[in-house]
Amino acid sequence: MTTEQQIFEELSNLCGSKGFIHVLVKMWFKDNYFRANKKGNFTTSQISEFQANREKLNRNELNTLLALVVKNNPTFFYDQVPQQEISDEYSTRAYELLEDFHEIFQKKSFINMMEKFSSLKETGDLQLKQQESDWFLNENNIREAIFYSGDGAYDFQYQDLGYLKYINDNEWFIKNKNFSVEYALLSIEMIFYIHHQKIHHDVINNKPISIQSFTYTKKDFIDIFENYKEKHQLPTDYSINEIISFISAFSFKLDNLEDLYKFQSFDDFNPLVAFPFIKLSEDEFLLLDLYTFSQAFYETPFFWLSGDGEYKNLASKNRGEFTEYMVYTIFCNVFGKENVWLNVDLYSKSGLNFSKKDKIGEIDILVNIHGYSLVFQAKSKKLTINARKGNIQQIDNDFSKAIQHAYNQAFECSKILLGNDYIAKLDEKIVKLPETDFCIPICVLSEHFPALTMQIRWLLKENQHKKIASALVFDVFLLDLMYKTLRHPLEFIHFISTLSNVREKFLAGTQIDLLAVHLSRNLLCSKNADMFYLDNGLSADLDLFLFKNRRNVITHKSSGEVSSLSCWYKFKGTYWWKLFEFCSQLDTKEKFKLGLELLQLSGETIKDYNSIVLDRINQLKSNTKLIISDFTIGLSNHHGLTVYIYNSPFITEEVKEKICEHASLRKYHAKSNLWFALIISTKGVVKYIEILDFEWVFDDEMQQKYQRIFGGKPKQKLFIDGRAVTRKIGRNEPCPCDSGKKYKHCCLDK
């Protein structure tokens, strides 16, 4: 069997062939670009099909080919375009070799899994859930997941967040790199503009895409600079020289090939990823991939700064503050500054002097909404080269430093908050924090970890606590996307809560896929589900949404807000939507808890809710003697909601008492620990809400009272796990909730 190294060496020889660069340029264009439709727009189906295309090369493969071209043929720029027959031969062979390389991964992974399976079979222990990490956590699986992982961020995120990441280092960049972080985004915008101009010009004029389509000269910038500067009112001190200095800082020089000679395998560090511009002459540069350049802008300066012995400590401090402040700012904007705290120190109440030994916990960012706490720990660690090569020990070490340690901190701080036996200090001042009833520990990373969902599933060691949810791990890119797409605070916390509940049931190439699926379908699944794998192509709606919004920003258009992606927005204007907006205010605990329940309903249940409300309103309007009508629906975890449509402008205390008593009986009969009573007008406007939040216990008096009032089971539509059951279910039939039990032993009495 052909080995990896043999494939790498053959690829090296192929890429060193005269004229291969011209073939690579066409491959790059084919696998990274697709045309808009006749109206100049893109469609979700077009994007989805492009993403799911398994024949195209990914960014790691293309960058590998480019590195091998430069390494083995440094004068590639002067090569003539090969004849078509030779070009086709080059292209076909490159695709074949890279496919062979991928097959080696798959074969090695399969062999490893079968060896594990055989070993487990001999011992009789074949419980997949317990042994999953042993099955899948091996060098080849990890290498494959990392090498073929999708993009963990959008190019504009690397740009925008890169600016925020390094803006406090601005003076260092001016002094050492001759460009300012302040104007870096302007330079990137100019580069993107010229790039698209070149590509667009060649395409509409039916000119073949060539190396010149990806070549930048100082003259290119001079030709458009003044016009562009005036049109977009750029700063007067922003100049051509600033752009050239910026490009030079991210350029690989052809007279310095030592680093490329170290590129001896697929997993080795590729200098052209860190320095994506290739300097062809003093004023001429080649750049094939804008995304790689955007990523380099975010990642490469970190190594410049940390390599400066006198500055690295300050640079490290700035990195930590960037992550913390970004999280803090987003959650302040979402939930209000009064509900968010930055850098909270927790001390033992027995401590008298608030000394270091008295400190029992540190929370980077705390969010508390009516006792529901998000405990954040921010980290700036990166995945090392050895980890990317599949070294399990190194992966475990990187994961431990970046994520496990942060989780341990967050979990311990969560326990302290729940115990309510601490003193909190903020900026050396004692503060009184709201009480905490429930916690979600969250680690936030400043760097993208490839194959993060898999690493969390296989490596994270969690503790159990009935009031502490499963941990979450975000990077700043996911958090930024959440802020851009989740329009209501309620949606924001619902996504966090849902992801915590279902995290182990979903594997995805990137966290972007998780958010995309949640936005389009609500990230809910059956309790009996084992695992879902989200394939490429599921984020097309999100891609298009962000593209439209971003285009409006770049072109300075005021075309109005692009409609939301959230799957709930299709119910805008309905009775359910009025209830959702009422709860979205989050000004009371009742609204907050009911709001979270509303977002867990299926689309079918929401339609049924709207239908029933309309039907009851029409009944009240047609029957003037009827003042009130009620119905009950089931919510998640056997919680329930009783809705009272009230045909009167005045709601007395007596009415409130009666509906609370009535709802209590409903709650008791359902054996529920949480129930809501809701009064709405005949216009669907919420007038009153009551929460019945206490543990169910048997009560003979309540039992008899229920029998007296209802005489048996109430006549109501049956909802199980958010789904409407439209036919009568036999007592001995399987329960519709998919529990595997008979209906009489499961949901019959609920």
Side-chain angles (χ1 to χ4, degrees):
M1 185 177 73
T2 307
T3 66
E4 281 184 35
Q5 201 56 42
Q6 287 172 330
I7 292 173
F8 186 84
E9 289 172 4
E10 186 174 345
L11 266 180
S12 295
N13 293 330
L14 179 65
C15 292
S17 303
K18 291 295 182 181
F20 184 85
I21 184 64
H22 299 285
V23 177
L24 177 58
V25 165
K26 291 180 179 179
M27 291 169 63
W28 210 301
F29 182 76
K30 179 176 72 70
D31 290 350
N32 277 282
Y33 294 82
F34 55 92
R35 299 186 67 166
N37 59 26
K38 293 180 180 179
K39 295 182 179 179
N41 298 317
F42 298 100
T43 64
T44 53
S45 60
Q46 187 183 23
I47 297 172
S48 182
E49 184 179 343
F50 181 78
Q51 289 176 338
N53 181 5
R54 296 184 180 276
E55 293 182 358
K56 64 183 181 69
L57 301 181
N58 78 350
R59 222 173 297 281
N60 284 333
E61 291 172 306
L62 290 167
N63 278 319
T64 296
L65 295 179
L66 180 60
L68 293 178
V69 168
V70 178
K71 173 186 173 183
N72 295 288
N73 182 18
T75 60
F76 65 88
F77 189 70
Y78 302 100
D79 289 354
Q80 297 294 314
V81 179
Q83 294 179 356
Q84 189 61 49
E85 184 180 350
I86 296 175
S87 294
D88 292 343
E89 190 179 308
Y90 284 169
S91 175
T92 300
R93 189 55 184 154
Y95 280 106
E96 288 175 348
L97 287 169
L98 288 168
E99 181 61 27
D100 290 344
F101 172 61
H102 195 186
E103 285 183 5
I104 288 176
F105 271 134
Q106 294 174 321
K107 287 178 181 178
K108 286 182 176 179
S109 297
F110 180 76
I111 291 171
N112 181 273
M113 189 172 69
M114 292 308 297
E115 288 174 350
K116 292 284 185 181
F117 181 82
S118 299
S119 174
L120 293 172
K121 190 176 180 180
E122 289 176 5
T123 62
D125 188 3
L126 291 175
Q127 298 183 47
L128 180 61
K129 191 67 179 174
Q130 294 179 359
Q131 303 296 337
E132 184 182 317
S133 62
D134 290 334
W135 282 44
F136 296 105
L137 189 61
N138 60 74
E139 175 183 334
N140 294 297
N141 270 342
I142 289 294
R143 288 180 62 215
E144 181 184 20
I146 291 174
F147 193 84
Y148 294 102
S149 66
D151 297 330
Y154 291 91
D155 53 7
F156 67 84
Q157 289 185 290
Y158 281 128
Q159 298 159 25
D160 296 345
L161 300 187
Y163 167 84
L164 295 175
K165 184 179 181 182
Y166 298 116
I167 188 59
N168 288 335
D169 305 303
N170 197 41
E171 291 184 7
W172 186 94
F173 282 90
I174 294 172
K175 179 181 177 182
N176 294 276
K177 296 295 178 179
N178 298 317
F179 73 86
S180 68
V181 178
E182 188 179 2
Y183 295 156
L185 291 184
L186 295 175
S187 296
I188 293 173
E189 189 174 321
M190 289 283 288
I191 293 165
F192 269 61
Y193 177 81
I194 293 175
H195 175 85
H196 290 300
Q197 285 269 16
K198 285 174 171 285
I199 297 293
H200 182 70
H201 176 270
D202 290 347
V203 171
I204 65 171
N205 289 290
N206 293 317
K207 292 179 62 177
I209 297 296
S210 69
I211 195 169
Q212 295 299 331
S213 308
F214 298 90
T215 303
Y216 301 77
T217 66
K218 190 172 183 177
K219 184 177 181 303
D220 290 330
F221 291 100
I222 292 174
D223 288 344
I224 68 164
F225 185 79
E226 291 303 324
N227 181 53
Y228 195 87
K229 186 174 181 178
E230 183 178 345
K231 183 179 178 181
H232 297 291
Q233 298 180 333
L234 302 183
T236 55
D237 58 341
Y238 180 60
S239 67
I240 291 288
N241 291 333
E242 177 114 3
I243 301 175
I244 299 300
S245 294
F246 179 73
I247 292 174
S248 296
F250 293 93
S251 293
F252 183 85
K253 299 174 179 59
L254 292 174
D255 58 355
N256 187 14
L257 297 175
E258 287 83 358
D259 288 338
L260 263 182
Y261 293 148
K262 299 175 185 176
F263 187 58
Q264 297 289 337
S265 71
F266 288 99
D267 297 320
D268 285 339
F269 170 68
N270 184 350
L272 297 189
V273 173
F275 300 94
F277 281 94
I278 300 172
K279 190 171 184 178
L280 304 173
S281 66
E282 194 59 35
D283 295 323
E284 195 171 24
F285 304 86
L286 176 68
L287 175 68
L288 291 188
D289 192 41
L290 291 173
Y291 185 95
T292 301
F293 164 57
S294 299
Q295 187 173 357
F297 172 63
Y298 187 88
E299 296 180 350
T300 300
F302 167 83
F303 298 97
W304 300 341
L305 297 166
S306 56
D308 186 331
E310 295 182 359
Y311 192 80
K312 65 179 182 180
N313 290 337
L314 179 57
S316 179
K317 176 176 176 291
N318 289 340
R319 291 300 75 71
E321 289 180 351
F322 152 70
T323 312
E324 291 177 1
Y325 189 71
M326 181 181 169
V327 177
Y328 177 72
T329 302
I330 284 177
F331 280 93
C332 282
N333 290 337
V334 173
F335 295 111
K337 196 173 181 180
E338 67 277 9
N339 296 310
V340 188
W341 295 264
L342 177 66
N343 292 326
V344 180
D345 293 325
L346 304 176
Y347 291 86
S348 169
K349 280 188 176 181
S350 59
L352 300 176
N353 302 314
F354 296 104
S355 63
K356 192 174 181 179
K357 67 177 182 179
D358 296 325
K359 187 183 288 188
I360 54 177
E362 298 177 8
I363 302 174
D364 290 340
I365 303 96
L366 173 66
V367 180
N368 186 299
I369 310 295
H370 301 298
Y372 197 101
S373 290
L374 309 177
V375 181
F376 290 92
Q377 300 294 353
K379 295 295 179 182
S380 303
K381 304 292 184 181
K382 294 174 65 72
L383 199 63
T384 60
I385 293 294
N386 282 336
R388 291 173 181 271
K389 290 183 176 183
N391 185 312
I392 300 299
Q393 185 175 354
Q394 188 62 56
I395 288 171
D396 195 44
N397 187 50
D398 288 356
F399 187 90
S400 179
K401 290 179 179 179
I403 297 169
Q404 187 66 56
H405 180 63
Y407 165 74
N408 294 342
Q409 283 183 301
F411 184 85
E412 290 304 315
C413 289
S414 296
K415 287 201 304 182
I416 295 168
L417 292 174
L418 289 164
N420 201 28
D421 188 28
Y422 64 89
I423 297 173
K425 290 187 76 175
L426 190 69
D427 295 329
E428 299 301 319
K429 296 180 181 177
I430 295 176
V431 293
K432 176 65 177 174
L433 297 176
E435 289 191 8
T436 292
D437 304 318
F438 187 79
C439 287
I440 300 182
I442 305 173
C443 172
V444 180
L445 306 171
S446 66
E447 310 298 323
H448 169 58
F449 265 53
L452 181 59
T453 63
M454 298 179 187
Q455 292 189 57
I456 297 168
R457 184 178 179 89
W458 295 332
L459 293 174
L460 184 62
K461 301 175 181 66
E462 291 189 83
N463 302 307
Q464 299 298 316
H465 193 292
K466 64 180 182 180
K467 291 187 175 181
I468 301 177
S470 297
L472 291 177
V473 183
F474 295 160
D475 56 36
V476 292
F477 308 106
L478 178 66
L479 194 57
D480 179 59
L481 290 178
M482 290 164 58
Y483 184 59
K484 286 179 166 66
T485 57
L486 301 171
R487 299 300 176 87
H488 286 81
L490 196 56
E491 290 180 77
F492 214 89
I493 204 156
H494 169 64
F495 174 65
I496 292 173
S497 174
T498 302
L499 190 57
S500 174
N501 290 332
V502 304
R503 190 203 73 207
E504 289 208 348
K505 295 182 182 292
F506 287 91
L507 275 180
T510 70
Q511 291 191 315
I512 293 175
D513 296 323
L514 291 171
L515 177 62
V517 170
H518 178 77
L519 288 166
S520 61
R521 301 172 177 84
N522 203 350
L523 202 61
L524 301 173
C525 61
S526 169
K527 296 176 182 178
N528 298 322
D530 292 320
M531 187 179 72
F532 297 92
Y533 181 77
L534 304 182
D535 206 353
N536 295 333
L538 296 176
S539 64
D541 286 329
L542 177 59
D543 294 345
L544 188 59
F545 172 82
L546 292 168
F547 171 75
K548 289 179 178 178
N549 276 281
R550 186 68 179 177
R551 184 166 60 180
N552 290 344
V553 170
I554 292 176
T555 57
H556 307 280
K557 290 182 178 179
S558 56
S559 56
E561 183 182 19
V562 180
S563 60
S564 173
L565 277 177
S566 291
C567 55
W568 300 286
Y569 277 69
K570 62 186 174 187
F571 300 107
K572 194 170 184 178
T574 67
Y575 294 115
W576 178 89
W577 184 264
K578 289 181 180 180
L579 179 55
F580 167 71
E581 287 198 311
F582 172 79
C583 292
S584 292
Q585 300 170 29
L586 299 185
D587 53 338
T588 67
K589 195 169 190 174
E590 291 84 355
K591 292 180 182 180
F592 174 67
K593 286 199 169 188
L594 179 57
L596 288 181
E597 294 285 346
L598 291 176
L599 292 180
Q600 295 188 66
L601 296 177
S602 68
E604 182 185 356
T605 305
I606 294 173
K607 290 176 182 177
D608 284 322
Y609 173 86
N610 290 326
S611 177
I612 296 170
V613 171
L614 178 61
D615 181 64
R616 300 301 175 88
I617 288 174
N618 288 335
Q619 285 182 14
L620 289 171
K621 288 181 177 179
S622 63
N623 187 350
T624 55
K625 294 182 180 179
L626 191 63
I627 300 208
I628 193 168
S629 179
D630 70 275
F631 66 93
T632 296
I633 65 171
L635 305 173
S636 67
N637 300 316
H638 302 302
H639 303 157
L641 166 68
T642 302
V643 181
Y644 303 86
I645 297 97
Y646 194 57
N647 191 16
S648 174
F650 305 106
I651 301 175
T652 64
E653 290 301 318
E654 183 182 4
V655 170
K656 292 178 183 178
E657 288 178 11
K658 285 184 177 180
I659 70 113
C660 284
E661 182 181 4
H662 184 271
S664 295
L665 292 173
R666 294 290 200 207
K667 175 182 181 297
Y668 179 80
H669 180 72
K671 300 180 181 179
S672 172
N673 294 326
L674 180 66
W675 206 265
F676 300 91
L678 195 70
I679 299 179
I680 64 176
S681 72
T682 52
K683 293 183 178 179
V685 178
V686 181
K687 294 295 187 180
Y688 178 71
I689 184 173
E690 184 70 38
I691 184 172
L692 307 173
D693 189 3
F694 50 87
E695 191 171 340
W696 183 91
V697 292
F698 176 79
D699 188 304
D700 188 61
E701 185 179 342
M702 290 286 286
Q703 189 83 11
Q704 293 182 31
K705 195 171 185 178
Y706 183 88
Q707 292 295 328
R708 279 198 315 272
I709 294 176
F710 297 107
K713 299 182 75 173
K715 294 181 180 179
Q716 58 180 357
K717 194 165 187 177
L718 178 62
F719 292 85
I720 297 177
D721 284 351
R723 296 177 298 180
V725 179
T726 55
R727 68 172 181 85
K728 185 176 180 180
I729 304 165
R731 290 171 56 84
N732 292 311
E733 287 188 72
C735 190
C737 75
D738 299 323
S739 65
K741 300 178 182 178
K742 292 182 179 180
Y743 180 46
K744 65 182 180 182
H745 296 312
C746 191
C747 292
L748 176 61
D749 295 326
K750 297 172 182 175

